[in-house]
């Protein structure tokens, strides 16, 4: 079985500052990795995903994430955040060949002016 | 516009009163799934469907039923709701049920309060 741990439940940052949201996973088989964003009162939207190939994955809205197999991590980063990035962010994994997503607990990103 | 729709968006009900939350997608997707979102727990899968008439339990299926009679619809049924089913529910769909991971598209959510 797979599991995901998001190490921070809340992350407050100032506008234009860099941010890193941390995600660690455990699995005995190869996995795919995802970051989803949930804006207030909306559904989830895919930010980026890692399936194979380059370990640095670029997503929408200037976000990127790096897959680190040895540390079983998939941290999300953005060099300069905006007020509009205020949202909850979910890391998720799925077993290769399967559709089921296993989500982390979520990280609430708050941007202060 | 390609989308997943859910109805109702908000629902307040009482313990034991049967309810159905509808989910519909217009993308001809094979795979559909229901999740519930609770604070501090993220999203957990309730049921999923690989195609018409093919459904299976997820991680938290107790107290829920589903059906998949048509490809586009995947209703979630609570036969006898209880307060511990108060939650935010999301329906999701993806193009294929097998092979490489397909992007899952999520509905806007249904917020349910069971008194």
């Amino acid at each position: 079985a797979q599991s995901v741990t998001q190490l921070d439940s809340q992350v407050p940052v100032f506008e234009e500052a860099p941010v890193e949201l941390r995600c660690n996973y455990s699995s005995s088989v190869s996995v795919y990795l995802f970051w989803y964003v949930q804006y207030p009162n909306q559904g989830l939207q895919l930010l980026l995903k890692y399936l194979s190939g380059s370990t640095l994955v670029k997503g929408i809205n200037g976000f990127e994430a790096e897959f680190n197999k040895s540390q079983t991590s998939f941290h999300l980063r953005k060099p300069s955040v905006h007020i509009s990035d205020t949202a909850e962010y979910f890391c998720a994994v799925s077993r290769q060949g399967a559709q089921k997503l296993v989500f982390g607990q979520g990280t609430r990103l708050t941007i202060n002016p | 516009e390609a989308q997943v729709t859910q109805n109702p968006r908000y629902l307040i009900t009482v313990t034991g009163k049967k309810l159905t939350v509808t989910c519909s997608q217009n993308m001809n997707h094979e795979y559909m799934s229901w999740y519930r979102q609770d604070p501090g727990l993220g999203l957990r899968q309730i049921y999923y469907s690989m195609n018409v008439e093919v459904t299976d339990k997820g991680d938290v299926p107790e107290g829920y039923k589903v059906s998949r009679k048509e490809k586009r619809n995947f209703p979630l049924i609570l036969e006898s709701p209880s307060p511990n089913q108060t939650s935010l529910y999301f329906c999701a769909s993806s193009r294929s049920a097998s092979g490489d991971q397909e992007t899952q598209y999520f509905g806007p959510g249904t917020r349910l309060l069971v008194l």
Side-chain angles (χ1 to χ4, degrees), chain A residues 3 16 22 30 38 49 55 63 102 110:
Chain A
S3 68
E16 297 183 9
R22 297 180 293 168
S30 295
Q38 183 181 30
K49 61 183 177 183
T55 57
F63 284 92
V102 175
T110 305

Side-chain angles (χ1 to χ4, degrees), chain B residues 2-60:
Chain B
Q3 59 183 347
V4 179
T5 56
Q6 295 178 226
N7 282 291
R9 294 288 314 278
Y10 304 91
L11 180 59
I12 301 174
T13 189
V14 295
T15 299
K17 186 176 181 182
K18 181 180 178 180
L19 66 91
T20 299
V21 183
T22 65
C23 172
S24 184
Q25 50 89 7
N26 62 0
M27 297 170 278
N28 200 36
H29 283 175
E30 285 186 351
Y31 182 87
M32 297 186 75
S33 179
W34 276 102
Y35 296 88
R36 60 177 289 173
Q37 181 183 3
D38 301 291
L41 297 177
L43 283 80
R44 294 175 292 167
Q45 190 181 57
I46 303 170
Y47 267 93
Y48 65 95
S49 170
M50 305 281 273
N51 214 323
V52 176
E53 302 291 3
V54 181
T55 64
D56 207 348
K57 296 177 182 178
D59 296 321
V60 288

Side-chain angles (χ1 to χ4, degrees), chain A residues 32 34 49 94 98-100, chain B residues 37 59 90 100-101 103-104:
Chain A
Y32 297 137
F34 307 82
K49 61 183 177 183
S94 72
Q99 295 301 308
K100 176 186 173 181
Chain B
Q37 181 183 3
D59 296 321
F90 287 101
D100 282 344
Q101 172 62 232
T103 297
Q104 289 198 27

